[in-house]
Amino acid sequence: MRSLGGFAMSSGTRTDMPDAGCSQRPGLSVVIPFYNEQDNVEQLIDELRETLAASGDYELIAVDDGSTDATVAMLERAAAREPALRVLRLTRNRGQSTAIANGVHAARAPLIATLDGDGQNPPADIPRLVQAYRESCSSGPVLVMGWRQQRNDSTLRRLSSRCANRLRKALLGDGCPDTGCGLKVFARDDFLRLPSFDHMHRFLPALFVRDGGEVLSIAVSHRPRHSGQSKYGVRNRLWVGLVDLVGVLWLQRRACRFESEESHV
């Protein structure tokens, strides 16, 4: 059992910081949080392997968020035939932000890509986000976000997300049209410098802007759910989201920036 900024994790694989002298360090770590997604594991891992096979320079980090179905068994079965797949297990269900944070902490690559474990984010979009990151000219932190312009969700979920995005953009000024998209690309070190808290994955654009970073939004596809049920609804997101919004606004207004210049006599 380990703790990371209040995040607890148990794992059958190595989860410490990667050795600086490790010659086997990959170029890209793909972090995928799973919670009760047993019927989506096999297809998603197969798609990721097919998408990233050309580069051959990657690792997959599947983080099970305390699933109560056969998700872990399916992940371990997939890992037996996919050497690039590492499986981490949280001791209990702690939420998507905790799962992602644990995965990023365990990652060995300097560049991170994330996507949801429900299969609605097509892995084929990852190379375009990685390319956009590498072509960015910013000297500071860069976050590349997927933008689901045509969502395959219920009307209620689309409307609630639209309202939440408008309110968030108005208050936080992050300029991001879709913070809820699981497809993201960023540098591992930039992420680990951010303040860690539950539900932080919904506010990554604002946190990167707070840290002097740039946010790029790239249009991506969005698929209907193949199996299973969504873990989010209006009731379990509305009030928590409002409280988190106030908290992030507080963080923004109290950011400590490093802007000093050294005088040379």
Side-chain angles (χ1 to χ4, degrees):
M1 178 84 64
R2 290 165 55 87
S3 64
L4 169 63
F7 300 148
M9 174 174 67
S10 66
S11 170
T13 60
R14 176 182 147 199
T15 60
D16 55 344
M17 291 288 285
D19 189 340
C22 180
S23 61
Q24 301 299 316
R25 185 181 299 182
L28 177 69
S29 294
V30 182
V31 176
I32 319 109
F34 287 92
Y35 178 57
N36 290 345
E37 299 288 357
Q38 61 180 22
D39 295 326
N40 294 315
V41 169
E42 186 173 8
Q43 179 178 339
L44 183 56
I45 298 301
D46 286 345
E47 284 189 75
L48 283 164
R49 181 177 61 248
E50 293 171 4
T51 297
L52 301 173
S55 70
D57 187 25
Y58 69 94
E59 67 175 355
L60 306 177
I61 302 179
V63 186
D64 177 70
D65 188 17
S67 295
T68 56
D69 63 358
T71 295
V72 172
M74 295 299 295
L75 287 171
E76 291 176 344
R77 191 169 89 173
R81 67 176 190 276
E82 174 50 64
L85 176 60
R86 302 165 60 195
V87 180
L88 309 182
R89 293 181 295 165
L90 300 188
T91 53
R92 59 183 176 87
N93 178 237
R94 294 182 176 274
Q96 188 171 349
S97 288
T98 303
I100 291 172
N102 275 277
V104 174
H105 178 72
R108 295 180 295 138
L111 190 63
I112 305 292
T114 68
L115 77 165
D116 294 338
D118 57 13
Q120 289 192 264
N121 302 138
D125 284 326
I126 292 177
R128 291 195 301 110
L129 271 65
V130 170
Q131 181 180 3
Y133 177 89
R134 289 176 173 160
E135 292 178 351
S136 64
C137 298
S138 175
S139 59
V142 175
L143 170 66
V144 182
M145 290 282 310
W147 179 6
R148 301 165 295 178
Q149 294 180 331
Q150 294 185 348
R151 293 187 58 173
N152 278 286
D153 285 321
S154 68
T155 301
L156 182 58
R157 287 198 67 187
R158 292 199 305 270
L159 288 174
S160 62
S161 292
R162 190 177 303 167
C163 293
N165 278 324
R166 287 177 177 173
L167 178 61
R168 188 206 68 259
K169 285 172 63 178
L171 292 179
L172 302 182
D174 57 24
C176 182
D178 183 13
T179 61
C181 183
L183 278 165
K184 303 177 179 73
V185 170
F186 49 82
R188 179 180 184 271
D189 288 347
D190 290 341
F191 179 92
L192 294 179
R193 280 197 299 267
L194 301 176
S196 298
F197 55 91
D198 200 12
H199 306 130
M200 68 175 287
H201 70 280
R202 296 177 186 153
F203 298 96
L204 282 184
L207 294 174
F208 267 77
V209 170
R210 173 185 180 271
D211 206 32
E214 177 184 4
V215 179
L216 307 175
S217 294
I218 307 295
V220 296
S221 302
H222 189 243
R223 305 185 292 202
R225 244 189 184 275
H226 171 71
S227 182
Q229 295 180 338
S230 172
K231 311 307 182 296
Y232 296 108
V234 176
R235 285 183 297 177
N236 69 348
R237 291 180 64 180
L238 179 59
W239 300 115
V240 172
L242 290 175
V243 172
D244 291 339
L245 186 60
V246 173
V248 174
L249 187 61
W250 181 89
L251 282 172
Q252 278 189 328
R253 294 186 175 182
R254 285 160 176 80
C256 181
R257 303 194 181 280
F258 301 94
E259 301 175 340
S260 61
E261 295 182 2
E262 184 175 355
S263 296
H264 298 281
V265 180

